[in-house]
Amino acid sequence: LLEQVEGRTVVTEAGEITLSVVDAPRQEKSMNFAERFLHILLDPNLAFILLTVGSIGIIAELYNPGAMLPGTAGVISLLLAFFALGTLPTNWAGVALIVVAVILFIIELNTDTTGILATGGIIAFVLGAMILFRPFDPGSPALPAIRVNPFLIAGMTAAVAGFMLFVVSKLIRTRHAPMLTGYEHFTGQIAQVRRDLEPEGRVWFQGQSWYARSVGQ
């Protein structure tokens, strides 16, 4: 650019001036640590990853309340993601679709739809990722094309789908398992005999001494 404008004449308030900038002194100023960190966040792919990881963390915390780590990591990831989204040319309709996907995932964990809502959530997630940033094509050749890498969308979608498949399958298995109450809850577990059962005696079970009776072989 400096070479292209070298020697051109421009009109200023002081009159015409011939530009001589090729050999002009230059001063470089590097970014500090905070600026470099924020600059890294302003990557559309990283913003999408943080948004996805944050969503998975919140869902995992709701699935297993009290775990703390997934919820903490999820909240931090979402805050960093929304910082990046607030700076980048974000299409908030895409964000809304991803939020809808998360809501459908959460509802799935609390209903007996056996994957119907999760499937709808995956579709909303993919659509949201595809239109997350605008415009699709930059209006000027000087502007970069800001979009999420299609391979990253595919990878994160597979990760989210795998996570939901794992959680939903666990929930379905739990919901269809027979409820065990009373002595049925202890059937098949092992106790240590402390006093011979002839046919009555004492056994040690789950940190306590129990009265037991043998019912034969």
Side-chain angles (χ1 to χ4, degrees), residues 17-207:
I17 296 178
T18 301
L19 297 179
S20 178
V21 293
V22 171
D23 298 324
R26 298 174 178 80
Q27 182 179 5
E28 294 184 3
K29 184 178 181 181
S30 301
M31 293 185 290
N32 57 36
F33 174 79
E35 291 171 335
R36 288 197 300 270
F37 175 72
L38 296 178
H39 181 70
I40 292 173
L41 289 180
L42 300 182
D43 182 325
N45 294 314
L46 181 56
F48 176 64
I49 291 174
L50 289 172
L51 187 61
T52 305
V53 170
S55 301
I56 292 177
I58 296 300
I59 296 172
E61 183 68 31
L62 294 175
Y63 170 68
N64 186 22
M68 300 301 294
L69 181 59
T72 302
V75 170
I76 294 174
S77 297
L78 287 178
L79 290 176
L80 293 176
F82 279 105
F83 165 79
L85 294 175
T87 306
L88 292 168
T90 303
N91 182 356
W92 292 101
V95 177
L97 280 169
I98 294 178
V99 171
V100 168
V102 174
I103 293 174
L104 291 176
F105 294 150
I106 294 174
I107 297 175
E108 177 69 54
L109 300 181
N110 296 278
T111 58
D112 295 324
T113 58
T114 63
I116 297 176
L117 292 178
T119 302
I122 293 296
I123 296 174
F125 181 83
V126 173
L127 293 176
M130 293 175 61
I131 64 171
L132 188 58
F133 298 104
R134 54 177 173 79
F136 291 108
D137 294 314
S140 168
L143 297 176
I146 299 178
R147 62 173 63 92
V148 181
N149 189 301
F151 294 103
L152 179 60
I153 294 176
M156 298 306 290
T157 302
V160 172
F163 172 76
M164 289 303 301
L165 179 63
F166 171 78
V167 173
V168 170
S169 63
K170 288 285 187 181
L171 289 175
I172 293 175
R173 190 176 307 146
T174 301
R175 289 166 183 165
H176 289 83
M179 294 294 294
L180 299 179
T181 59
Y183 70 89
E184 294 178 346
H185 180 67
F186 303 113
T187 300
Q189 299 192 38
I190 298 175
Q192 182 182 12
V193 177
R194 291 293 181 89
R195 184 184 299 171
D196 291 343
L197 305 180
E198 299 177 346
E200 300 175 354
R202 307 292 297 184
V203 298
W204 188 258
F205 179 66
Q206 292 189 347

